[in-house]
Amino acid sequence: MNRKGAKKPTVIPIRDEGHSKFSKMIDKSMNHYLNDLSKDWRGIVLLMFLYILQGIPLGLAGSIPLILQNRNVTYQEQAIYSFVFWPFSLKLLWAPFIDSVYSLKFGRRKSWLVPTQLAIGLFMYCFSYRADAVLYGGANPSGKPDVPLLATIFFALTFLATVQDVAVDAWALTILSRDNIGWASTCNSVGQSAGFFIGNAVFLVLESKDFCNAYLRPLWDYSPQESGLITISDFLYFWSIVFVLTTILIAIFVQEKNSFECDNAEHEEIANLGIVGTYRILLRIIRMPNVQILLLQLLTVKVGFSPVDALTGLKLIEYGVPKERIAALAVILTPVEIFLPLVISKYTSGPRPMDIYLWAIFPRLVMGLALAGAVYVTPYFRMADHQFPLWYYVVLMLTFGLHQIFHFSFYVSQVAFFAQISDPLVGGTYMTLLNTGANLGGDWPNTVSLWLADYLNIRRCEAGVCETVIDAYFIEVTACFIIGCLWLYLFRARSRRLQDISTKTWRIIKQ
C-alpha cells in the first residue's frame, strides 16, 4: 500500500510471462487483503490493546510465587496463593450474567468492560501504597510476606480480569467484520501473551536487584543499589494510571455496535437466551453422556503433570537459580509457543486432533522426569560465587524447550478437538464449559501438589537435628508419573472412541 511521498521500491523486470501473471495474482490478493484489513484496523488495534491490559495483572500475579520463594514462605502458603489462578477455571459461573445484564444505551460490552477496567485501575492504585510492605514483609511483625492478603488481593484482580475477558471476547464478535473475525483469536493470543510478558518477565527483571546492578545500572554508570529499578508499588501505580486513563477514553470515544446478524430465527433465539436460558443449555450439555466422559478425562489428565508444572520453577529458586533467569527462559521459549501451533496445524485441523493429544502425553510425562533430574543435579553445579555456568542454563533451556513442545502440542490439539465437537449454535457456552473443565483439571492438582510439598519429605533426625533425605518434589514427580501412565492405559481407548463418534452426537439442537 503506497503512501504519498514514500520512495517506491526498485522493481526488477522478469520476462517469464507465467511468473508475471502469478505476481499480478499475488499483488491482487494482497491488495484485497489489505483493503479488507483497512476497514477493521481500529478494531484490531483496540482488541490488541485490551488483551494486553488483561494480561498485565495476570502476569504480575504469576510472578509473585517466584518472589515469595526466597522469603521463607512454605509450600503450604504457596498452595494458598495458587487459588489466585482459579477464577479462570470458574468464570462459567458468572459469564451468563455478563452476557445477559447490560445497558443497551451505553453498550452491551462496554457496560461491563468500562467499570471492570476502572475497578482494576483503582484496585492497583490503592494497593500500590501498601504493596511493598505486604510483599516484602514490612507489614508483618515476623518480616514475612502476608500471603493470605496477597492471595485475596490478586484473586480479586484475577476475577476482574476474567470479567474483562468475557466482555472483550464477546465484543470481538461485533467490533470486527465477518471477513476479519479470525483476527479476534490472533489479538487474544498475541495481546494476552504480550501483557503477561510485561507483568511477569519485564517486572521480574526490573525488580531484581542483582540483574539491575549487573546489567542495567552500568549502562548509565549508576552505582549498585539494594533494590531493583522498580518495586511492585511502582509497577502497580504506573499501570493503574494507564488503566484508568485509557478506559475513560474508551468510554467517551469508542462507540459499540449493539447488534449482530443472525443467520435464522433459531440463531436469534439462542443469542437471546438470557441467564436462565443459558444455564438450561449448560445443564443439557452436561447431561450428555459423551460430555460427562470428556469432563472426567479433563479433570484427571493433568494429575500426572502437576508436580512438574507447579513446583519445578520454585524448586530451582530454592536451589539457588535466580528468579530472573527463570523468567528469561520463558522469554527465550516464547517463539516455540508462537510457531508450534503453525507447525502442527495440519494435524490438529484434521478429523483426528486427539491423536496428537494422546501422543503428547507420555513424552510430556518423560520430560517431567527429565526436568526433575535437572532440579536434582542443580546444587552440584552451583559455583563458589553462587552462580551457575552458562552450559547449565543451556541444558536447562533445552530440557524446558522439549517439555514445552509436548505441552503446547497437548494444548493445541485439545482446543482443536473442543472446536470440532462444540455445537455451533451454542458454541460460546459449549466452549466455555469445556475450557472450564480443562482449566480446573490443571488448577486443582497444582494446588494439591503445592500443599503436599511440605508434608511428603522423608527426613532423618539425629540428636535433635533433622535433614531431608528425599525431597517431596521427587516423590510427587515419581508418583504422578505412575498415575499419568495409568491414566493413559485407562483412557486412551475411551478418548479415541470419543473422537471416532459423529459430531452430530455432540449436538444439542437439531439443525
Side-chain angles (χ1 to χ4, degrees):
M1 189 167 59
N2 293 329
R3 296 184 179 183
K4 187 176 180 180
K7 183 179 179 180
K8 295 183 178 181
T10 303
V11 178
I12 302 176
I14 301 177
R15 287 182 174 272
D16 183 20
E17 184 179 355
H19 185 86
S20 178
K21 290 180 179 179
F22 179 75
S23 298
K24 291 179 180 178
M25 180 179 68
I26 294 295
D27 291 340
K28 184 177 180 181
S29 299
M30 182 59 70
N31 289 333
H32 177 71
Y33 169 77
L34 292 176
N35 288 333
D36 284 346
L37 193 60
S38 64
K39 63 184 177 182
D40 282 329
W41 72 267
R42 291 181 180 86
I44 291 172
V45 171
L46 177 60
L47 283 178
M48 189 77 72
F49 180 72
L50 291 174
Y51 281 119
I52 289 173
L53 289 183
Q54 180 189 129
I56 288 169
L58 300 179
L60 185 61
S63 71
I64 300 300
L66 302 181
I67 297 175
L68 294 178
Q69 190 63 12
N70 283 335
R71 297 184 178 275
N72 299 320
V73 170
T74 66
Y75 284 102
Q76 185 176 352
E77 290 174 308
Q78 291 275 20
I80 293 172
Y81 183 83
S82 70
F83 283 102
V84 164
F85 307 107
W86 280 56
F88 269 91
S89 299
L90 304 174
K91 69 177 181 178
L92 188 64
L93 299 177
W94 50 82
F97 291 92
I98 299 170
D99 202 41
S100 305
V101 179
Y102 54 87
S103 167
L104 194 62
K105 183 178 180 180
F106 186 58
R108 184 173 185 174
R109 308 309 172 188
K110 285 171 63 179
S111 296
W112 287 96
L113 177 73
V114 171
T116 298
Q117 291 196 169
L118 287 175
I120 293 175
L122 293 175
F123 214 94
M124 286 181 164
Y125 179 81
C126 294
F127 183 46
S128 68
Y129 286 94
R130 293 282 295 166
D132 285 349
V134 174
L135 179 59
Y136 303 127
N140 196 327
S142 65
K144 291 180 58 178
D146 192 337
V147 176
L149 182 57
L150 282 170
T152 302
I153 290 170
F154 279 99
F155 184 92
L157 278 174
T158 306
F159 168 75
L160 291 172
T162 65
V163 175
Q164 193 252 24
D165 179 62
V166 173
V168 176
D169 285 349
W171 199 2
L173 299 178
T174 57
I175 203 172
L176 301 178
S177 64
R178 290 188 178 273
D179 293 335
N180 293 315
I181 196 66
W183 275 88
S185 60
T186 303
C187 293
N188 187 321
S189 59
V190 175
Q192 196 176 92
S193 296
F196 193 94
F197 172 77
I198 294 170
N200 192 282
V202 172
F203 168 69
L204 286 173
V205 167
L206 297 180
E207 187 268 348
S208 170
K209 174 190 70 175
D210 295 333
F211 188 91
C212 292
N213 288 339
Y215 300 104
L216 299 182
R217 287 192 171 103
L219 295 176
W220 297 280
D221 294 326
Y222 289 167
S223 59
Q225 303 292 326
E226 290 301 316
S227 63
L229 291 178
I230 64 172
T231 64
I232 187 173
S233 290
D234 301 326
F235 190 85
L236 287 167
Y237 181 82
F238 173 80
W239 285 106
S240 70
I241 302 300
V242 174
F243 264 88
V244 171
L245 291 181
T246 56
T247 303
I248 292 174
L249 293 175
I250 290 171
I252 296 173
F253 296 108
V254 178
Q255 300 299 317
E256 178 183 350
K257 291 190 296 183
N258 288 302
S259 62
F260 56 92
E261 298 176 0
C262 291
D263 296 334
N264 52 49
E266 191 172 23
H267 281 229
E268 182 69 35
E269 180 182 356
I270 293 299
N272 295 281
L273 281 173
I275 297 174
V276 176
T278 301
Y279 279 118
R280 285 176 178 169
I281 289 292
L282 279 175
L283 289 176
R284 289 176 63 182
I285 298 172
I286 293 172
R287 287 171 181 165
M288 297 169 63
N290 293 333
V291 173
Q292 292 176 357
I293 295 173
L294 179 58
L295 288 175
L296 177 62
Q297 294 185 18
L298 294 175
L299 291 171
T300 55
V301 66
K302 297 179 183 177
V303 173
F305 313 137
S306 57
V308 173
D309 292 346
L311 288 165
T312 299
L314 302 180
K315 279 296 172 184
L316 288 171
I317 294 174
E318 181 182 328
Y319 290 165
V321 180
K323 62 182 182 300
E324 61 271 13
R325 300 291 185 184
I326 296 175
L329 288 177
V331 174
I332 295 172
L333 294 175
T334 298
V336 176
E337 183 177 358
I338 295 174
F339 292 110
L340 184 63
L342 300 176
V343 174
I344 66 173
S345 61
K346 67 177 181 179
Y347 303 105
T348 58
S349 61
R352 302 186 63 82
M354 289 294 279
D355 289 348
I356 299 293
Y357 178 91
L358 294 170
W359 167 82
I361 291 176
F362 185 72
R364 184 176 172 184
L365 291 169
V366 172
M367 290 310 302
L369 292 179
L371 280 174
V375 172
Y376 180 81
V377 301
T378 293
Y380 299 101
F381 296 104
R382 193 177 185 184
M383 298 184 293
D385 59 356
H386 301 294
Q387 300 298 315
F388 292 88
L390 177 61
W391 64 265
Y392 167 82
Y393 288 111
V394 172
V395 172
L396 192 62
M397 182 188 68
L398 292 175
T399 309
F400 262 115
L402 286 174
H403 177 269
Q404 292 303 93
I405 286 175
F406 299 116
H407 169 80
F408 293 137
S409 298
F410 177 92
Y411 171 76
V412 172
S413 55
Q414 173 182 271
V415 173
F417 183 64
F418 291 171
Q420 183 183 91
I421 64 175
S422 294
D423 191 327
L425 289 182
V426 288
T429 301
Y430 216 131
M431 286 287 286
T432 302
L433 172 64
L434 297 180
N435 284 321
T436 296
N439 291 334
L440 188 59
D443 285 337
W444 80 260
N446 287 355
T447 298
V448 172
S449 294
L450 287 165
W451 192 274
L452 293 176
D454 280 329
Y455 298 102
L456 296 181
N457 292 310
I458 297 178
R459 294 183 173 90
R460 180 175 57 198
C461 299
E462 294 180 1
V465 178
C466 297
E467 63 176 352
T468 300
V469 178
I470 302 179
D471 194 293
Y473 169 72
F474 304 108
I475 297 174
E476 289 190 41
V477 170
T478 304
C480 287
F481 174 82
I482 297 172
I483 292 173
C485 292
L486 288 175
W487 188 97
L488 202 56
Y489 174 77
L490 293 173
F491 286 99
R492 186 198 298 268
R494 289 179 173 87
S495 296
R496 286 176 174 164
R497 283 198 295 270
L498 289 178
Q499 180 175 239
D500 291 337
I501 62 178
S502 171
T503 54
K504 294 181 179 180
T505 310
W506 299 91
R507 304 291 189 254
I508 62 171
I509 299 177
K510 293 183 180 180
Q511 301 296 317

